[in-house]
Amino acid sequence: MMNPRSIPIWPTLHGPWPMSHRNPYNQASSPLKGIEPNDNVQVSWQSAWPSITLAFSDDPHRVWGSTFKSVYQVDLSDSDINKLATQALNQPENGISGAYTLVDSEGKFFSPRDLILSRFSQVNEGNDSRIVTEDSFSIPQAYLTMAGEHIVGVNMTYDGFIAMATSAGLLVVVSRDFHFHTALSMGVNQSVSNSIAIDEEGGIYVLTNKQLHRVQWNGVQLAHLWSTTYESGPDEPLPGRLGTGSGSTPTLMGKQDGDKFVVFTDGGELMNLVLVWRDAIPDDWQPIGEGKDRRIAAEFPITFGIEEATRSVSEQSVLVRGYSAMVVDNHYSLDTSDWLDGPNAGAITVLFSNLGFNAPYGVEKMSWNRQTQQVESDWANQESCPNGIPTMSVASNIAYCWGQRNAKWTLLGFDWDTGETVVEVPMGYGVRYNSTYAATQIGHDGQILSGTLLGLIRIEPND
């Protein structure tokens, strides 16, 4: 059994992008350089159907990926993306199970399928490389509360344990050798459709379709610390959404010496950027409105710069850097729920999300003003980022999204300070380029990567 340890300063993760949303805070921003305005670029593609997030290990060129039917590893050292190895797996009953993954400092890749978390490693035999399943952990049946329950979110605690959330709001923490585990439920009639956030003090944040919860991990046990209710919206998923309530994974904002929040978008008709105090609430803090929990620090309406806006929607997690946050619009015009049931309805909507009759438009950056203790809009841009998770480069001071221009899938970059579009890399019109909920990621040497419906794409400077 792995001995529980006190919480250290940094988690057991390495590499430029070792897990979904890049770090346990889920900020999806990077200190590394990205594509810049005058770069000559090269676009390369590798089949791998489909890939949501790529996990970079210590090796600057080896990247892990997960699809419906496999896990794989690719080499990014050449001008082409070379697939090193693939291991076929059974397709999960629920497609979201396996979207959130991570690779630890030992190069072990962790990926879930339904109720099973597996640990994979890469083995070299002569000139050949192969992937082996080292071990697997299955969530005990005694913990389950609903038919079809499956693992959704995956993250790592700062003392090196894997934390997982199921679709029914069960939180499970397991050691990386799978010899220790513990679990805690968020309560009845709560569901999870995205991942979870973790801070260095042992706080684990689970966002269900009804409430945000903080659970405290002390290295041995889980304890429920607090919960708060938010504007969860309609009981049926909006077009293109994976579930009800918030469409975002919770993101952490703030540092040890300042205000500290959990940030997400709610399910309101006109969605809000919601900031929730994650530690002690200031003694003089008053509720932001009648009937509102004191723990809610802000609910800022997201209009994408359109004063008369009455509806905005996002299925993407909030991009955070410092006390600033950026959100993209996913308000699709095509609603297929009248003639398709379940996830097929959302899949068709997203498949055509680059086309003019359906495409959403709007990007907005907002910041928490520590002096006025309010959220303020910094800028809005009417570009289209149909369905992918955005990212930001500190070195380049540019935010990126997998966008579209006149239906052509296009990498778009926005000046972080002004919102001006400063990068535009056209790619193509077909499903090969459709990000389909995938993360826009920053790798080594200015590379930007994204999974797509049919594989993965890398855009890199070509000097």
Side-chain angles (χ1 to χ4, degrees):
M1 171 177 171
M2 182 180 289
N3 294 322
R5 305 187 296 275
S6 60
I7 308 297
I9 296 176
W10 297 109
T12 313
L13 297 163
H14 293 279
W17 204 291
M19 59 170 288
S20 302
H21 302 297
R22 188 178 168 270
N23 57 18
Y25 272 37
N26 293 325
Q27 291 185 337
S29 55
S30 172
L32 301 180
K33 175 183 177 295
I35 298 296
E36 296 186 343
N38 295 316
D39 286 346
N40 293 316
V41 301
Q42 174 176 306
V43 179
S44 50
W45 177 82
Q46 173 60 255
S47 62
W49 177 82
S51 298
I52 300 297
T53 307
L54 307 169
F56 287 73
S57 62
D58 274 352
D59 188 315
H61 303 301
R62 289 185 180 239
V63 178
W64 288 90
S66 172
T67 76
F68 286 150
K69 295 185 177 182
S70 69
V71 295
Y72 64 91
Q73 197 177 69
V74 297
D75 178 17
L76 300 178
S77 60
D78 294 332
S79 57
D80 294 324
I81 302 174
N82 298 312
K83 189 173 287 187
L84 297 174
T86 299
Q87 184 180 121
L89 301 173
N90 293 330
Q91 183 168 330
E93 294 183 9
N94 189 285
I96 192 65
S97 189
Y100 297 101
T101 63
L102 61 85
V103 59
D104 71 7
S105 60
E106 298 174 351
K108 311 297 185 180
F109 183 59
F110 293 82
S111 179
R113 285 292 189 282
D114 294 321
L115 293 170
I116 298 173
L117 177 71
S118 296
R119 184 181 69 246
F120 301 92
S121 63
Q122 175 264 341
V123 176
N124 289 318
E125 296 180 341
N127 294 325
D128 295 326
S129 175
R130 66 186 180 93
I131 293 170
V132 297
T133 305
E134 291 190 341
D135 203 355
S136 295
F137 168 81
S138 182
I139 297 178
Q141 289 290 321
Y143 293 144
L144 307 181
T145 58
M146 62 178 287
E149 188 170 350
H150 53 275
I151 299 168
V152 180
V154 176
N155 203 325
M156 184 180 283
T157 67
Y158 279 69
D159 57 345
F161 287 71
I162 305 293
M164 305 178 288
T166 74
S167 55
L170 176 71
L171 178 64
V172 180
V173 172
V174 60
S175 61
R176 300 200 318 279
D177 62 8
F178 298 155
H179 293 169
F180 165 88
H181 77 271
T182 187
L184 183 69
S185 173
M186 299 303 103
V188 297
N189 300 321
Q190 303 218 24
S191 63
V192 172
S193 59
N194 290 281
S195 199
I196 54 180
I198 299 179
D199 68 25
E200 55 270 67
E201 297 174 348
I204 303 177
Y205 303 88
V206 183
L207 184 60
T208 74
N209 62 332
K210 296 181 178 180
Q211 293 180 308
L212 173 68
H213 304 266
R214 174 170 176 165
V215 175
Q216 195 63 31
W217 166 248
N218 65 4
V220 180
Q221 296 175 319
L222 294 168
H224 194 280
L225 201 60
W226 55 254
S227 62
T228 186
T229 302
Y230 67 95
E231 298 291 336
S232 56
D235 293 333
E236 295 295 328
L238 296 168
R241 290 283 302 276
L242 298 174
T244 59
S246 171
S248 65
T249 290
T251 304
L252 304 186
M253 174 186 282
K255 298 181 179 180
Q256 295 298 323
D257 58 347
D259 298 335
K260 293 187 287 185
F261 304 107
V262 188
V263 181
F264 59 95
T265 51
D266 67 16
E269 182 78 7
L270 183 69
M271 70 175 169
N272 297 293
L273 181 73
V274 183
L275 274 62
V276 175
W277 299 103
R278 58 182 161 108
D279 290 328
I281 304 170
D283 292 339
D284 60 350
W285 188 257
Q286 298 299 313
I288 62 172
E290 184 176 353
K292 298 291 184 181
D293 192 321
R294 277 187 72 239
R295 188 162 289 281
I296 297 176
E299 286 181 344
F300 186 81
I302 302 173
T303 66
F304 298 108
I306 301 173
E307 292 184 4
E308 66 274 16
T310 59
R311 190 176 189 186
S312 58
V313 178
S314 188
E315 178 60 26
Q316 308 313 323
S317 296
V318 180
L319 163 65
V320 168
R321 195 71 187 185
Y323 281 97
S324 296
M326 194 185 89
V327 176
V328 298
D329 194 22
N330 299 140
H331 176 201
Y332 306 117
S333 299
L334 177 62
D335 185 353
T336 59
S337 59
D338 290 339
W339 45 281
L340 284 174
D341 295 326
N344 291 331
I348 293 297
T349 299
V350 170
L351 182 64
F352 297 112
S353 57
N354 63 313
L355 302 183
F357 70 90
N358 186 37
Y361 292 85
V363 184
E364 187 167 7
K365 179 193 166 198
M366 297 142 283
S367 296
W368 171 255
N369 187 319
R370 298 178 66 182
Q371 283 67 48
T372 64
Q373 293 196 305
Q374 292 182 332
V375 173
E376 301 169 352
S377 179
D378 297 329
W379 51 259
N381 186 318
Q382 292 304 304
E383 294 281 12
S384 178
C385 305
N387 62 54
I389 304 169
T391 188
M392 183 266 180
S393 161
V394 175
S396 300
N397 201 44
I398 296 173
Y400 305 92
C401 83
W402 211 255
Q404 63 88 14
R405 285 273 186 92
N406 299 316
K408 179 178 281 190
W409 293 100
T410 303
L411 177 71
L412 297 174
F414 316 110
D415 185 287
W416 186 244
D417 296 326
T418 67
E420 177 188 1
T421 303
V422 294
V423 169
E424 179 183 355
V425 181
M427 287 172 284
Y429 295 96
V431 294
R432 170 187 286 200
Y433 305 99
N434 189 328
S435 45
T436 318
Y437 301 118
T440 311
Q441 299 173 242
I442 299 173
H444 291 283
D445 304 321
Q447 297 180 10
I448 291 186
L449 300 97
S450 177
T452 70
L453 185 60
L454 298 181
L456 60 101
I457 290 179
R458 175 184 61 186
I459 302 171
E460 60 181 334
N462 185 16
D463 296 330

